């Protein structure tokens, strides 16, 4: 697929041929592409489930699928999108590909473990895919007990096993990133010369290593209760279902930051390069990533405001939930300050960055609503929560993911994409997203509960708007896949640094050579130093 014009020199794409060379590769760049293909499959699989959900909700009557099938649709949509797309989306693809290059390393610290982590994600995905094809699971993606342990007769164990295995992929990736950042930085690459994308992935790795084992233990306990009838969560067996919620959300709320922290790292890169300025308050932005990782472990209780939690505990978790918003706000304000009086160019990656900032800000502000005890009681389990979650995860993570893909695509493939089509897709996605999810804030405020496929007729107009927006959004998501594939053969050959960026990844050829750098780079300037033309910030020696 890469033509002779790009094949004149040796690089990671043409180093060896055959599928075996890919399936046994230890090159972090190839493994990043394997992750890219895998999560793309699950993205469109989850999108197919979402399409059926939105078509069902066009009418107030449940006239497309039964209630049992509808339960399976939103469960499998959540499983595919959360565990097999959003969590690995940026760290496993863009992080895997570029983190070593951005610190001047030839690969990750443990290349074989890196390949193993991809295989674990695939194996976990196959278990969950089997469960979907065999009849699905209907517990909701949160697997609340005692329904998941006693009452559901669907493929709970197979799905949970898939998530359990995929969790080890996340742990190994995080461990690999931590060791790589500590031990393999190029000469002169101090902690405060590292790109903010590296800081964000480092903080994310801490969450992956510390938080994911809690989810693994929780899944094992569900298995023990469901198979051996040991009373852990089921009150009929002497267990406590709220214990499951504590364990699940102790991981799953920090998991939100596994999804969005790397996205913030992408936006820091985009805002800087397309405004031609260093990121304002670099140190504050870097430490805010670590602060989010730490504080994220302290706020799980805001998911239990209506689950027998004491009012005093609720007040503490409410305060902490407001407090954790401060590091995120620091990033948004510092990005805005970076843009001030910058030489802004409206290339496609920058459009996605603007989209992220707008949508994430809405998602963050509405997060303060659900962190307030009084309002949360009203909007819990309504479409307000769905809208808030999607503004953060879809409006945030996926916008940044696509922005990063467009930014680094020339480096990954050696080809440029059609800029006009890319800008159009960014606009379509932004408009489609808001049309899809903003009406859901109103639906939730009016009292429309989530997970219902039959609803009062007065809600139909808002549901029709949401489904229409989902149709537009689907078109927007299809467009990049089409022109990215087209660009592999017909795209303009990319130069080494088409954006005039400063990072080390832009100091090597496009596509990169096998070991990233012909000679070890030596860093002599601060991150995002645009004081020289085209960001010539390194020496080679």
């Amino acid at each position: 697929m890469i033509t002779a014009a790009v094949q004149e020199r040796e690089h990671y794409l043409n180093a060896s041929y055959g599928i075996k060379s890919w399936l046994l590769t230890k090159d972090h760049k190839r493994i990043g592409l394997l992750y890219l293909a895998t999560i793309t499959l699950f993205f469109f699989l989850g999108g197919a489930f979402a399409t059926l959900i939105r078509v069902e909700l066009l009418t107030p009557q449940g006239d497309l699928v039964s209630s049992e099938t509808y339960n399976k649709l939103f469960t499998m949509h959540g499983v595919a999108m959360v565990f097999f797309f959003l969590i690995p989306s940026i760290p496993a693809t863009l992080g895997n590909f570029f983190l070593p290059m951005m610190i001047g390393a030839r690969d990750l610290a443990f290349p074989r473990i890196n390949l193993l982590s991809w295989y674990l994600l695939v194996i976990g995905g196959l278990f969950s895919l089997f469960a979907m094809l065999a009849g699905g699971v209907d517990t909701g993606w949160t697997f609340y007990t005692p329904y998941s342990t006693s009452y559901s007769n669907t493929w709970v164990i197979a799905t949970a096993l898939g998530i359990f295995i995929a969790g080890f992929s996340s742990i190994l990736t995080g461990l690999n990133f931590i060791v790589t950042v500590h031990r393999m930085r190029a000469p002169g690459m101090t902690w405060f010369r590292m790109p903010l994308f590296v800081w964000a992935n480092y903080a994310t790795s801490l969450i992956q290593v510390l938080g994911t084992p809690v989810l693994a233990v929780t899944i094992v306990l569900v298995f023990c209760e469901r198979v051996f009838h040991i009373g852990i969560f089921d009150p009929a067996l002497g267990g406590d279902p709220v214990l499951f919620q504590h364990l699940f959300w102790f991981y799953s709320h920090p998991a939100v930051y596994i999804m969005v922290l790397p996205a913030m790292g992408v936006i820091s890169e985009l805002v800087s390069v397309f405004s031609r300025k260093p990121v304002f308050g670099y140190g504050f932005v870097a430490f805010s990533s670590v602060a989010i990782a730490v504080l994220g472990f302290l706020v799980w209780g805001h998911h239990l405001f209506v689950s027998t939690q004491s009012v005093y505990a609720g007040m503490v978790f409410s305060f902490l939930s407001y407090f954790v918003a401060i590091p995120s706000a620091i990033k948004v304000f510092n990005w805005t300050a970076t843009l001030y009086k910058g030489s802004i160019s409206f290339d496609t990656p920058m459009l996605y960055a603007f989209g992220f900032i707008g949508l994430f800000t809405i998602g963050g502000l509405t997060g303060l609503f659900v962190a307030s005890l009084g309002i949360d009681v009203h909007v819990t389990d309504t479409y307000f929560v769905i809208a808030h979650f999607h503004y953060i995860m879809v409006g945030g993570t996926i916008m940044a993911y696509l922005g990063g893909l467009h930014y680094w695509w020339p480096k990954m493939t050696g080809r440029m994409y059609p800029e006009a089509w890319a800008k159009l897709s960014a606009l379509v996605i932004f408009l489609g997203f808001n049309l899809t999810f903003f009406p859901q804030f109103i639906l939730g405020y009016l009292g429309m509960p989530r997970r219902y496929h039959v609803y009062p007729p007065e809600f139909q107009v808002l549901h029709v708007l949401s489904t229409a927006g989902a149709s537009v959004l689907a078109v927007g998501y299809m467009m990049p896949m089409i022109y990215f594939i087209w660009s592999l053969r017909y795209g303009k050959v990319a130069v080494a640094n088409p954006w005039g960026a400063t990072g080390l990844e832009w100091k090597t050829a496009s596509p990169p050579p096998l070991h990233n750098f012909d000679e070890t780079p030596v860093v002599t300037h601060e991150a995002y130093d645009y004081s020289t033309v085209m960001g010539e910030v390194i020496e080679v020696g």
Side-chain angles (χ1 to χ4, degrees), residues 209-260:
V209 171
L210 297 175
T212 310
V214 178
L215 177 67
V217 170
T218 307
I219 292 173
V220 170
L221 293 176
V222 169
F223 174 84
C224 291
E225 182 166 301
R226 186 174 178 88
V227 175
F228 301 113
H229 305 291
I230 300 173
I232 302 169
F233 304 122
D234 190 345
L237 300 173
D240 181 5
V242 179
L243 174 61
F244 174 88
Q245 295 186 37
H246 279 286
L247 292 172
F248 180 85
W249 288 114
F250 183 80
Y251 162 77
S252 292
H253 193 84
V256 170
Y257 302 116
I258 293 177
M259 306 175 212
V260 81

Side-chain angles (χ1 to χ4, degrees), residues 257-332:
Y257 302 116
I258 293 177
M259 306 175 212
V260 81
L261 257 177
M264 293 173 167
V266 171
I267 299 307
S268 294
E269 302 298 316
L270 300 185
V271 167
S272 176
V273 72
F274 291 105
S275 63
R276 315 304 299 169
K277 287 178 61 181
V279 175
F280 179 83
Y282 168 94
F284 284 95
V285 178
F287 279 120
S288 69
S289 294
V290 180
I292 289 172
V294 173
L295 294 173
F297 282 104
L298 305 178
V299 299
W300 80 91
H302 71 223
H303 294 275
L304 286 83
F305 284 161
V306 296
S307 300
T308 72
Q309 183 173 257
S310 75
V311 175
Y312 301 105
M315 292 173 64
V316 171
F317 282 118
S318 178
F319 170 78
L320 291 171
S321 299
Y322 275 80
F323 191 66
V324 78
I326 295 175
S328 298
I330 287 173
K331 291 181 182 291
V332 173

Side-chain angles (χ1 to χ4, degrees), residues 11-296:
H11 54 73
Y12 82 102
L13 287 173
N14 67 11
S16 57
Y17 297 97
I19 190 171
K20 182 179 178 181
S21 70
W22 283 84
L23 295 179
L24 299 179
T25 184
K26 295 185 288 293
D27 182 0
H28 68 99
K29 299 181 291 297
R30 285 190 164 198
I31 294 172
L33 294 188
L34 291 174
Y35 270 114
L36 178 63
T38 304
I39 68 168
T40 299
L41 171 65
F42 278 99
F43 174 76
F44 284 105
L45 182 65
F49 293 133
T51 299
L52 292 173
I53 292 170
R54 290 312 323 167
V55 172
E56 169 61 80
L57 293 172
L58 272 174
T59 58
Q61 301 80 24
D63 47 14
L64 178 64
V65 297
S66 65
S67 57
E68 292 81 5
T69 301
Y70 187 78
N71 291 344
K72 294 176 182 178
L73 287 176
F74 66 70
T75 300
M76 294 185 293
H77 167 69
V79 168
M81 294 299 261
V82 172
F83 296 108
F84 296 101
F85 175 73
L86 288 171
I87 287 177
S89 59
I90 296 178
T93 56
L94 300 178
N96 228 317
F97 199 108
F98 288 106
L99 185 142
M101 297 177 66
M102 295 174 90
I103 62 173
R106 289 177 173 260
D107 208 315
L108 288 172
F110 307 113
R112 289 181 175 85
I113 289 179
N114 192 25
L115 179 61
L116 174 62
S117 68
W118 173 71
Y119 273 107
L120 289 173
L121 181 71
V122 171
I123 294 170
L126 289 176
F127 271 99
S128 296
L129 186 60
F130 164 77
M132 295 173 188
L133 296 176
V137 61
D138 63 356
T139 60
W141 72 271
T142 55
F143 296 94
Y144 270 13
T145 58
Y147 191 56
S148 61
T149 54
S150 304
Y151 303 148
S152 176
N153 295 318
T154 57
W155 292 85
V156 175
I157 295 298
T159 307
L161 180 60
I163 295 170
F164 178 83
I165 296 172
F168 282 93
S169 171
S170 185
I171 293 171
L172 293 179
T173 298
L175 176 65
N176 223 339
F177 283 6
I178 291 171
V179 176
T180 301
V181 171
H182 275 273
R183 304 293 298 172
M184 299 182 68
R185 300 194 306 276
M189 177 62 74
T190 64
W191 281 90
F192 292 100
R193 286 179 176 174
M194 291 196 312
L196 291 167
F197 180 76
V198 177
W199 273 100
N201 278 276
Y202 178 81
T204 302
S205 299
L206 298 176
I207 303 174
Q208 290 173 297
V209 171
L210 297 175
T212 310
V214 178
L215 177 67
V217 170
T218 307
I219 292 173
V220 170
L221 293 176
V222 169
F223 174 84
C224 291
E225 182 166 301
R226 186 174 178 88
V227 175
F228 301 113
H229 305 291
I230 300 173
I232 302 169
F233 304 122
D234 190 345
L237 300 173
D240 181 5
V242 179
L243 174 61
F244 174 88
Q245 295 186 37
H246 279 286
L247 292 172
F248 180 85
W249 288 114
F250 183 80
Y251 162 77
S252 292
H253 193 84
V256 170
Y257 302 116
I258 293 177
M259 306 175 212
V260 81
L261 257 177
M264 293 173 167
V266 171
I267 299 307
S268 294
E269 302 298 316
L270 300 185
V271 167
S272 176
V273 72
F274 291 105
S275 63
R276 315 304 299 169
K277 287 178 61 181
V279 175
F280 179 83
Y282 168 94
F284 284 95
V285 178
F287 279 120
S288 69
S289 294
V290 180
I292 289 172
V294 173
L295 294 173

Side-chain angles (χ1 to χ4, degrees), residues 392-477:
I392 296 290
M393 295 298 97
V394 181
T397 302
I398 298 182
M399 290 292 281
Y401 174 67
L402 290 173
L405 267 184
H406 285 80
Y407 175 56
W408 281 302
W409 187 259
K411 181 59 61 179
M412 296 167 70
T413 66
R415 294 285 179 173
M416 301 298 294
Y417 48 81
E419 183 69 16
W421 282 102
K423 288 182 176 180
L424 178 62
S425 71
L427 178 63
V428 170
I429 289 171
F430 182 80
L431 295 176
F433 177 87
N434 281 286
L435 183 57
T436 302
F437 293 106
F438 195 82
Q440 295 180 15
F441 280 124
I442 304 172
L443 278 169
Y445 181 77
L446 294 176
M448 170 71 194
R450 62 179 176 175
R451 300 177 174 174
Y452 278 50
H453 76 314
V454 177
Y455 58 86
E458 56 265 30
F459 294 145
Q460 184 176 10
V461 171
L462 292 170
H463 274 300
V464 169
L465 286 174
S466 190
T467 299
S471 303
V472 176
L473 189 59
V475 172
Y477 285 147

